[in-house]
Structure formats: structure tokens, C-alpha cells
Amino acid sequence: MSEHIHTTDGHAHGEHEGLTKKKIWQVFGILLLITVVEFFIALWVLPHGYMSHMVGNIIYIALTILKAFYIVAYFMHLKYEKLGLQLSLTVTFIFIIYFIVLLLIEGGYLQLHMPFQ
């Protein structure tokens, strides 16, 4: 009978490596920086009139989506999953957002064109 000795010394762990302490602190720093930028815009830029509220809202939405990406990708470990799972979750999320936008548009249409008595 042949003996099989399993050692982990020669195996490559690049794909299944996960988060290191350095990467956790990098992601934390990025999330902290995005949050500081959001607070700066909310507490200094918008009140002093350097930016319109419409532009401020668009920037908030973009920064929030960026923060959500980092949280899902690194802390929920989606970055290390297979491409099929990533795509299925992303497409589902896009359709949910699309349907919410459609419902909001249609709800506004009915309110404008079919007022209740």
C-alpha cells in the first residue's frame, strides 16, 4: 500500500488566501476615507453653497455604492468566490434596483395623472 502524506508546504494559496491583516486595514482606510469625504461634503461644502444639493446627492449615492462594494467584496468574501456566483448576485441586485426605480416612476405617474377624489 502506498502512503499519502499531505503537507501544505508546497501548495499555492493565492486563490484561497482570504484577507490578511494588511488588507483588512487597507479596506478599513478606504472606507474611513470615503466616510470622511461624505462628512466633509455634508457638513462644509453643502451648507456653504459650494455645491448644489442635486450634485451632492449624486456624489453621496456614488460613494455609498463604492462603500457597499468594498464591504460586500472583502468583508462578505464575495471577491474570493467564483465568477458565476459573483455575476448571479450582481445581475440580481441590478434587476432589484431597476424594479424599484420602475415602481417609483410608475407610482409618481399614477399620482399625477389619476388623482384620488
Side-chain angles (χ1 to χ4, degrees), residues 12-27 72-81:
H13 293 287
E15 184 179 324
H16 303 286
E17 189 172 279
L19 285 176
T20 61
K21 284 185 181 182
K22 179 181 177 184
K23 191 64 174 177
I24 290 173
W25 283 109
Q26 280 180 331
V27 173
V72 170
Y74 289 100
F75 294 123
M76 296 175 74
H77 305 285
L78 187 60
K79 183 177 184 336
Y80 306 107
E81 293 293 336

Side-chain angles (χ1 to χ4, degrees), residues 3-11 13:
E3 292 184 27
H4 179 70
I5 300 173
H6 183 71
T7 61
T8 58
D9 297 336
H11 294 286
H13 293 287

Side-chain angles (χ1 to χ4, degrees), residues 34-84:
I34 293 171
T35 304
V36 167
V37 169
E38 286 177 339
F39 271 95
F40 178 72
I41 291 171
L43 298 176
W44 193 74
V45 174
L46 288 178
H48 289 93
Y50 295 119
M51 181 186 305
S52 71
H53 284 282
M54 181 66 165
V55 174
N57 287 339
I58 292 170
I59 291 174
Y60 283 142
I61 291 170
L63 291 175
T64 302
I65 289 173
L66 185 63
K67 282 182 5 181
F69 164 76
Y70 274 103
I71 291 168
V72 170
Y74 289 100
F75 294 123
M76 296 175 74
H77 305 285
L78 187 60
K79 183 177 184 336
Y80 306 107
E81 293 293 336
K82 295 196 182 290
L83 183 62

